[in-house]
Amino acid sequence: MAFMCTDSGNLMAIAQQVIAQQQQQHQRQQQEQFHQIQSSTASASWAPPPDHQSAFASAFSDPFSFPPPQSFKLSDEFDSDEWMDSLIGSGDLSPLFADPPLSTDLDRLIMPRGDVLTVDQLPQPVKRDKEPEPEPEPDPDPEPNSKVTVSCSSSQSLPSSSSSHPVLKSLLDCARLAGSNPDLAIKTLDQIRPLVSKLGDPIQRVGFYFTEALSVRLMSTTSPPPPSSSSSSEEFTLCYKTLNDACPYSKFAHLTANQAILEATESATHIHIIDFGVMQGIQWAAFLQALATRPGGKPTRVCISGIPSPSLGSSPIRSLSATGNRLREFAELLELNFEFIPILTPVDQLTVSDFRVDVDECIAVNFMLDDSMERVQYVLRVAKSLNPEVVTLGEYEANLNRVGFVNRFANALSYYCSVFESIEPAMARDSLERVEVERVLFGNRILRAVGLAEGIERTDRMEESGEWMAQMEKSGFKSVQFSNYAISQAKVLLWNYDYSAKYSLVDSTSGFLSLAWDGKKLLTVSSWR
């Protein structure tokens, strides 16, 4: 059986080792050739042979290609920082949690501050003797005939450690007032604002982003927020690196999905992976490394068909090309016969004929779906028609789509409270890197979840595992339990983040494996066939 090492989710670490080996071999060849040429003619100047010249040219012709070996030091140990640093500035690395930033800078959407008040002075919602509290306004998101309903109170949907926090309860009260009494909601936000800060504790920081998102919602009606500055690609790269070092989110998702695919394709000689939601291919570099060291021998052919993630924007061809180039160069180092096929057909127009599938290929499908449920259901039907050997699905564990605004606000507040709390032990409270991670990677997702006026399409698809199970089974898939080895290596991964025992795995009988913080699921991976 082929295994993923516990750090194999890290492309940079894997490539460091491979490139170091290739560098040593290449330097020996150069030295031998140099001495041969020097001995034959002292006046002749050495140059790389034609085949090496073409290799050198290809290495530098694409700004998104793997960096040349000379940018790494020789070491027997993995050094992911050097590899990641070499990619910074390429403008082509988006993190697991990142999406194209909205044209809104939360720091510039500060409503006029009122006088600084204490928590006890926060106004309470207007109470009426005979009239019930206003019901939340209807949300156009739920699909017809949807039976999914969520009810929550100020404390029901919040983490137990935060359920009684006055700021969070006041934010939920504001969310309730947003539809029925927006003027009072605005006044309440003005009084909450001095109590929150992006430099405070986790509750204060979460409160900061939800206060600004709710401010945007109250200021907008049917149009998106006004244009403003957004984060650069280099900022995304730096923030991803920081988050990846501090928290195990990406590594857990990649490691677990890859192991399931490795086990399902263990004896296959022709492997074809169809990735719905590909970004930069970090996950697949780790997978290629595992295939190259497979005990039963390397496969004779590996193909990845990449359908771009919505986070790559409306013109993803450049990013897909860069991803293909990087993976091809990495596969060459591993001496794998590899092909990357970008697929630009809109997901709601895909058919089986769009995939160049050979009859002798073992097909694996990987999903990181972030689209409307209608498109998701269509894509699942297309995937089923491909008759894959295995399907892996990675999703955020939060119900933010099939509910009305107030419940969506409460669910998002609960989810991001746990996310921000999980960052706290690994990154100092006064760390500017932490501020940027939360602003760049999470601030805009919060804004899209609760800050947009009703009627404006929200592109983020976040559902709980129960809803995904219903959709997968409806499309004809059956869940597959993760192997004991897959679960064990996920546990080993968490041991590497030993600064807090609050990280845990939740292994459900239905085949879902979730990464949890303080008992609350944050990210769930599942396997199907």
Side-chain angles (χ1 to χ4, degrees), residues 9-248:
N10 193 328
L11 157 65
M12 292 66 67
I14 295 166
Q16 166 66 19
Q17 184 186 53
V18 175
I19 287 182
Q21 295 171 350
Q22 294 288 330
Q23 179 187 5
Q24 291 175 319
Q25 181 180 1
H26 182 65
Q27 286 179 337
R28 287 195 297 268
Q29 292 174 347
Q30 283 185 331
Q31 290 173 355
E32 292 173 359
Q33 292 168 347
F34 179 80
H35 290 309
Q36 290 174 358
I37 295 174
Q38 190 176 43
S39 62
S40 62
T41 171
S43 60
S45 59
W46 179 87
D51 58 334
H52 286 180
Q53 288 177 346
S54 62
F56 289 163
S58 64
F60 288 96
S61 61
D62 181 2
F64 300 101
S65 64
F66 281 148
Q70 288 80 357
S71 65
F72 295 96
K73 65 184 180 184
L74 288 174
S75 174
D76 293 332
E77 298 180 356
F78 291 154
D79 191 341
S80 61
D81 286 344
E82 289 190 48
W83 185 266
M84 178 66 83
D85 290 341
S86 70
L87 293 179
I88 293 175
S90 70
D92 189 60
L93 184 61
S94 299
L96 178 67
F97 278 92
D99 296 281
L102 288 176
S103 56
T104 301
D105 189 338
L106 293 177
D107 294 336
R108 296 176 58 180
L109 289 171
I110 306 298
M111 298 177 67
R113 291 181 180 270
D115 295 333
V116 178
L117 303 181
T118 64
V119 171
D120 295 335
Q121 292 173 295
L122 290 173
Q124 300 300 314
V126 176
K127 300 289 184 179
R128 297 177 174 84
D129 294 335
K130 298 182 180 181
E131 296 180 12
E133 291 185 16
E135 293 292 328
E137 58 187 4
D139 191 335
D141 280 353
E143 284 76 13
N145 302 322
S146 172
K147 295 183 180 180
V148 178
T149 59
V150 175
S151 60
C152 61
S153 65
S154 294
S155 60
Q156 262 184 315
S157 188
L158 296 177
S160 57
S161 60
S162 311
S163 59
S164 61
H165 199 288
V167 168
L168 300 185
K169 295 178 71 173
S170 295
L171 281 170
L172 281 173
D173 291 337
C174 273
R176 293 189 181 93
L177 290 169
S180 61
N181 196 338
D183 290 338
L184 181 57
I186 289 174
K187 292 178 181 179
T188 304
L189 283 180
D190 287 343
Q191 295 166 353
I192 293 175
R193 197 180 305 279
L195 306 175
V196 299
S197 169
K198 59 184 177 182
L199 300 175
D201 62 32
I203 298 301
Q204 290 174 317
R205 302 198 306 266
V206 168
F208 172 82
Y209 288 106
F210 275 84
T211 297
E212 301 312 318
L214 195 50
S215 298
V216 172
R217 181 184 178 88
L218 291 168
M219 288 189 294
S220 61
T221 54
T222 59
S223 58
S228 180
S229 60
S230 60
S231 303
S232 67
S233 297
E234 185 163 318
E235 284 180 307
F236 275 105
T237 305
L238 288 167
C239 289
Y240 169 72
K241 177 183 182 299
T242 302
L243 182 66
N244 197 49
D245 290 343
C247 301

Side-chain angles (χ1 to χ4, degrees), residues 20 73 84 135 210 243 249 280 287 322 344 359 397 423 428:
K73 65 184 180 184
M84 178 66 83
E135 293 292 328
F210 275 84
L243 182 66
Y249 304 132
Q280 286 76 29
F287 181 77
L344 298 176
V359 293
E397 187 73 22
I423 295 174

Side-chain angles (χ1 to χ4, degrees), residues 329-454:
E329 291 174 3
F330 189 57
E332 288 178 6
L333 293 175
L334 301 171
E335 299 180 350
L336 286 174
N337 179 16
F338 174 78
E339 182 180 12
F340 181 84
I341 304 174
I343 297 179
L344 298 176
T345 305
V347 293
D348 56 355
Q349 299 177 24
L350 284 171
T351 64
V352 175
S353 61
D354 291 307
F355 302 95
R356 289 159 42 187
V357 176
D358 295 334
V359 293
D360 61 344
E361 288 181 329
C362 182
I363 298 173
V365 177
N366 182 74
F367 283 119
M368 187 69 186
L369 298 172
D370 208 1
D371 215 325
S372 70
M373 185 53 73
E374 182 181 55
R375 292 192 183 98
V376 167
Q377 292 171 341
Y378 178 81
V379 166
L380 291 177
R381 291 194 295 270
V382 172
K384 180 62 178 177
S385 65
L386 294 169
N387 194 26
E389 188 67 25
V390 63
V391 175
T392 54
L393 175 67
E395 290 299 331
Y396 311 115
E397 187 73 22
N399 187 2
L400 303 187
N401 290 88
R402 299 167 69 85
V403 292
F405 170 68
V406 174
N407 285 329
R408 183 168 72 247
F409 189 95
N411 292 346
L413 192 58
S414 170
Y415 181 81
Y416 286 105
C417 275
S418 295
V419 170
F420 278 50
E421 287 175 359
S422 73
I423 295 174
E424 179 82 356
M427 304 181 69
R429 190 167 295 182
D430 59 354
S431 167
L432 294 180
E433 287 183 330
R434 179 199 52 71
V435 174
E436 286 300 289
V437 165
E438 293 173 351
R439 179 184 70 84
V440 173
L441 305 190
F442 303 123
N444 280 297
R445 291 193 73 95
I446 292 172
L447 181 60
R448 281 191 295 274
V450 301
L452 301 183
E454 299 308 318

